[in-house]
Amino acid sequence: MGPLDRILFVTPSVRVGAFRCAVRDPRFRDSGPIQYHLVAFPRTGVWIRQAGPSRMVADPRVVTIYNFGREYQREAICPDGDRSDWFAVAPEHALAIAREHDPWAPAGTEAVFRFEMAASDPALYLLQRQVFLGLERGVINRFEAEESVLS
């Protein structure tokens, strides 16, 4: 079995990658805890259950938000499995982003993001696709990529 993540870009501040897990992969239901503070942009529909009994549909209309170390499980909706592109930030940036948008964000913990999902409007989805594809094709430079991910 190969890796589920393909890393496109890494700096000390950000990482960008693609996650692909087929339904038939034995890791589909549980691929282990999240390795970074990140936001994932689903390319396919999948049920995600983070903590607790409730689950959510992650699809291109929703971004899923994960804290480092977060455990979760998934259930298939689409026969293509779980396909998403993700943007991760270093812990200090995660905390700054969380506090900018959520004055009640916890301080000094691994779980800086209180929310597990947010709506993704077409403009945001297009922007993340442009950044992702620009990195994949090698047409955006390191500084532009890092600034785009952090903003």
Side-chain angles (χ1 to χ4, degrees), residues 10-147:
V10 177
T11 71
S13 297
V14 303
R15 288 177 183 258
V16 177
F19 179 86
R20 305 292 186 263
C21 189
V23 173
R24 69 184 176 282
D25 190 301
R27 299 168 289 182
F28 182 78
R29 182 162 174 79
D30 185 349
S31 56
I34 293 290
Q35 298 300 308
Y36 316 101
H37 293 290
L38 67 85
V39 174
F41 290 83
R43 306 282 309 280
T44 57
V46 66
W47 285 105
I48 297 289
R49 181 184 320 255
Q50 290 195 34
S54 63
R55 63 183 184 164
M56 64 182 169
V57 172
D59 65 21
R61 298 168 297 165
V62 174
V63 294
T64 51
I65 304 166
Y66 297 96
N67 287 297
F68 173 81
R70 181 62 137 174
E71 295 186 21
Y72 67 100
Q73 295 181 332
R74 70 177 64 77
E75 297 172 41
I77 292 176
C78 175
D80 291 337
D82 188 353
R83 299 170 40 92
S84 60
D85 302 328
W86 52 264
F87 297 79
V89 296
E92 64 273 13
H93 295 298
L95 183 57
I97 291 166
R99 288 214 174 124
E100 179 181 337
H101 298 281
D102 178 8
W104 302 104
T109 69
E110 301 264 324
V112 298
F113 299 120
R114 286 191 312 134
F115 302 100
E116 297 175 348
M117 62 182 256
S120 175
D121 64 29
L124 177 61
Y125 198 83
L126 176 62
L127 177 61
Q128 68 83 22
R129 292 302 305 149
Q130 290 171 329
V131 172
F132 186 89
L133 293 173
L135 287 168
E136 197 170 51
R137 296 173 182 155
V139 297
I140 63 175
N141 69 44
R142 172 182 184 241
F143 300 107
E144 183 181 11
E146 193 169 85
E147 181 179 331

